[in-house]
Amino acid sequence: MSNRVPTTDVLLRATLDYLDQELLPTLEGYHRFQTRVCINVLRTVQREFALSDAADAAEHARLADLLGHPGEGVDPNPALNAELAEAIASGRLALDAPGLVEHLRRTLADSLAIDNPRWIAGEAN
C-alpha cells in the first residue's frame, strides 16, 4: 500500500458523500438514476478495496485444504476453483467431503459482502 494522502478510501468516501448528499438531491429523472448507479458502483469498489484481499486469502486457504495443494501463480484461485469444480463433477470429491459446504457458503458470503451486503443481512428480496 502506498503512503498517498489522502488515501483511496478517503477519496472514495468524499466522492460518495458529495454525489449522495449534495448532487443527488438536485437531480431528477434520468440523471438522478444514473447518479444513483454511479454511487452504487463506487460503493462496490470501496468494499472491494476493503474486503477482497482477506476474502481471497481465506478462499485460497480453504481451496488448498480441499484440494491438497496451494496451486501455482500469482492468483491461483481461478485455477483452483476450476479444479474443484472438475473434482466435484467427476466424483473425485464427494459432495459431503469435509469442509466443502462450509467453503462454498463462506466464499459466497464473502462475495456477497462485496457485491451486495444487503443479501447477507437478509434485506434483499
Side-chain angles (χ1 to χ4, degrees), residues 52-88 92-93 97-108 110:
S52 67
D53 287 347
D56 289 346
E59 179 184 18
H60 181 255
R62 291 189 306 270
L63 285 164
D65 284 345
L66 284 167
L67 296 170
H69 67 88
E72 298 176 6
V74 174
D75 183 13
N77 287 4
L80 290 172
N81 275 310
E83 183 180 338
L84 178 64
E86 193 280 322
I88 293 168
R92 285 188 295 112
L93 186 65
L100 177 59
V101 170
E102 179 57 28
H103 163 69
L104 297 173
R105 285 185 176 146
R106 187 71 253 157
T107 302
L108 178 60
D110 288 347

Side-chain angles (χ1 to χ4, degrees), residues 20-74:
D20 196 24
Q21 297 168 15
E22 294 185 40
L23 182 62
L24 191 65
T26 69
L27 301 174
E28 54 187 53
Y30 174 82
H31 292 290
R32 182 177 178 85
F33 174 78
Q34 291 300 324
T35 301
R36 173 60 56 205
V37 169
C38 290
I39 290 168
N40 289 336
V41 167
L42 289 173
R43 284 194 176 123
T44 301
V45 169
Q46 187 177 40
R47 290 188 300 270
E48 179 84 22
F49 277 130
L51 303 173
S52 67
D53 287 347
D56 289 346
E59 179 184 18
H60 181 255
R62 291 189 306 270
L63 285 164
D65 284 345
L66 284 167
L67 296 170
H69 67 88
E72 298 176 6
V74 174

